[in-house]
Amino acid sequence: MLGEAAQKVAQWVFGGTCFLCRGAAKKRLLCEACDADLPRLRQALCPRCALPSAGAEVCGQCLAHPPHFDAARAALAYRFPADVLLQAFKFRGELTLAGFFAALLVERLGAAPRADYLVPVPIAAARLRERGYNQALEIARQVARATGIRLAPGLCERVRDTPPQTDLPWSERAKNVRGAFRAPLALDGAAVAVLDDVMTTGATLGEIAATLKSAGAAHVSAWVVARTFPPAEDAR
Ligand SMILES: [Zn+2]
Ligand SMILES: [Zn+2]
């Protein structure tokens, strides 16, 4: 739980220094220069998969093979320094970054994002034990607070542990997560936003979207802090 009090603790812990360069940062985690360096996604993106697409039209890949989620929104490209911040958050327990990522995502979502429920991607039980927290849930708490959307982690459960997606080639990731989730409650036409820290192939978010839809969800959005671009796209 990271409310105003925790933000104050963060200011105290970081002592007014930038999380990245240790330069002066007034009231924020990053100094102005590092904040300006964040790879915010401002170019035209496909509304379905959040990869670059001319005129922000649905891209050819999504037309040919529509993902199970209906929309995707991402705040940042997954490259320096976003990758450094997300890795510190995920692997070094820098939980004060949750509010920072949530604010970037909320800024990206704009006015009145549409969803009845906000569901963080559940992590494997073994990883939860080892890490002590689910990074997606920590961000989702803050996004729920800022948007008023109901936080509903219970709508999606992980039914089996899978090897981490990052250990696998992209082509094997969809198979790795197939059947890994369960939606225990009827969703009766609800619009659900699924939140994760990083989207790479979209395999996990796609599998969860399919699971939620089979439980009756009418619309599923994928909301992520950062989007990995395929190598060719990353040069743009
Ligand atoms: Zn800085
Ligand atoms: Zn697309």
Side-chain angles (χ1 to χ4, degrees):
M1 300 296 273
L2 292 158
E4 262 179 41
Q7 295 292 342
K8 283 190 185 121
V9 170
Q11 283 171 31
W12 174 74
V13 169
F14 296 115
T17 59
C18 172
F19 190 85
L20 287 169
C21 74
R22 305 288 161 194
K26 293 172 204 152
K27 295 185 187 172
R28 301 200 54 172
L29 286 177
L30 300 185
C31 70
E32 276 179 39
C34 288
D35 187 79
D37 276 350
L38 284 177
R40 287 184 170 83
L41 289 171
R42 294 199 172 100
Q43 62 269 57
L45 300 175
C46 168
R48 197 84 193 252
C49 70
L51 289 178
S53 170
E57 301 286 342
V58 174
C59 72
Q61 183 65 24
C62 286
L63 287 173
H65 306 283
H68 291 292
F69 42 82
D70 302 282
R73 305 302 294 276
L76 305 172
Y78 189 68
R79 58 171 171 254
F80 185 81
D83 53 353
V84 170
L85 293 170
L86 281 156
Q87 284 164 22
F89 174 58
K90 193 165 174 173
F91 302 114
R92 299 211 317 267
E94 299 281 5
L95 288 177
T96 46
L97 288 166
F100 175 76
F101 294 134
L104 286 167
L105 185 54
V106 169
E107 175 189 308
R108 177 67 189 172
L109 293 170
R114 189 172 88 87
D116 300 309
Y117 302 107
L118 183 60
V119 176
V121 170
I123 62 170
R127 274 192 287 291
L128 186 59
R129 274 196 301 276
E130 178 187 315
R131 195 177 295 163
Y133 58 97
N134 172 356
Q135 73 281 357
L137 173 60
E138 297 304 322
I139 300 167
R141 277 191 221 285
Q142 304 279 334
V143 171
R145 189 171 301 158
T147 58
I149 298 169
R150 193 190 302 183
L151 180 65
L155 294 185
C156 180
E157 296 170 350
R158 196 177 267 271
V159 290
R160 64 179 172 82
D161 287 1
T162 53
Q165 292 286 78
T166 45
D167 291 352
L168 297 172
W170 285 24
S171 57
E172 286 175 26
R173 293 184 179 193
K175 204 169 91 190
N176 183 43
V177 292
R178 200 157 296 147
F181 302 98
R182 186 173 84 94
L185 300 170
L187 288 167
D188 298 331
V192 183
V194 182
L195 190 148
D196 209 355
D197 52 347
V198 180
M199 171 154 114
T200 302
T201 61
T204 300
L205 287 157
E207 182 66 22
I208 290 175
T211 305
L212 294 171
K213 286 194 166 177
S214 63
H219 188 276
V220 178
S221 310
W223 292 354
V224 298
V225 175
R227 180 72 164 104
T228 302
F229 288 5
E233 307 283 354
D234 211 30
R236 295 186 193 183

